[in-house]
Amino acid sequence: ISAVNGLLTQEFADINFAFERCLSIFPNYPRLWLDYASILMRQRRITATRRVFNRALRALPFGQHDRIWDAYLKFAVAVESVTPQTTRHIWLRYWKYVSDKKEAQSISRLIASLERCRFFDDAAQILAEVAASEEPTSMLLPSESSEGK
């Protein structure tokens, strides 16, 4: 019998089954989705974790997606050295989701992750989209609030 993080494989299987049952009854509770994803991450089950995050985004109302995306992006960064293609998929999906394409923190995190994973073409495409937009971003220009301080 093998163990992961001190728990036996069967114990994790039982926990996973319990989460699946709970989510089939209560799919609109982001905390359940986040806890389940966390348990799967502890098991180092990358594909299963990604699938749970994707299911959460489909099941939850759009207004609750920010809670999921925060954890999903942390997961993407955590697995980027193991599975860069998964990280790329997550960040590009996030880019489609994010409404403020000018938000400097989102852009810089996205570009940095794509560059670390060596997806330079994707990073360049995102930067081209930002540059082609009508208004300059705060990432590229100093903000008015920081001037004169």
Side-chain angles (χ1 to χ4, degrees):
I1 299 176
S2 64
V4 177
N5 291 331
L7 288 177
L8 298 176
T9 305
Q10 184 58 48
E11 290 171 322
F12 269 128
D14 293 343
I15 291 169
N16 295 348
F17 181 75
F19 270 108
E20 287 292 341
R21 289 207 47 202
C22 287
L23 287 168
S24 70
I25 298 167
F26 303 109
N28 292 326
Y29 288 88
R31 182 78 262 155
L32 281 175
W33 290 105
L34 293 169
D35 288 347
Y36 188 24
S38 176
I39 289 289
L40 290 171
M41 284 187 265
R42 284 188 56 202
Q43 296 172 60
R44 298 180 181 91
R45 296 188 57 201
I46 294 170
T47 301
T49 304
R50 179 183 53 81
R51 287 179 179 160
V52 163
F53 278 122
N54 288 336
R55 285 172 49 207
L57 291 170
R58 285 191 305 273
L60 294 168
F62 191 77
Q64 295 181 342
H65 283 200
D66 284 345
R67 292 180 66 186
I68 300 301
W69 275 115
D70 184 52
Y72 202 5
L73 295 177
K74 287 176 184 172
F75 166 72
V77 170
V79 300
E80 70 184 13
S81 65
V82 178
T83 162
Q85 193 66 32
T86 296
T87 298
R88 175 184 175 266
H89 167 78
I90 294 167
W91 278 104
L92 293 179
R93 182 171 180 191
Y94 176 72
W95 183 246
K96 290 177 187 174
Y97 159 77
V98 71
S99 59
D100 184 5
K101 302 277 191 211
K102 309 257 182 234
E103 205 272 299
Q105 184 178 6
S106 294
I107 296 168
S108 62
R109 288 174 60 201
L110 167 62
I111 297 302
S113 186
L114 290 173
E115 287 176 344
R116 282 191 304 271
C117 293
R118 309 197 59 74
F119 291 109
F120 300 114
D121 289 344
D122 292 320
Q125 183 178 353
I126 300 296
L127 288 173
E129 284 180 38
V130 171
S133 63
E134 291 181 33
E135 299 174 30
T137 69
S138 60
M139 179 179 80
L140 303 175
L141 295 175
S143 68
E144 293 177 1
S145 63
S146 65
E147 291 179 21
K149 286 189 176 181

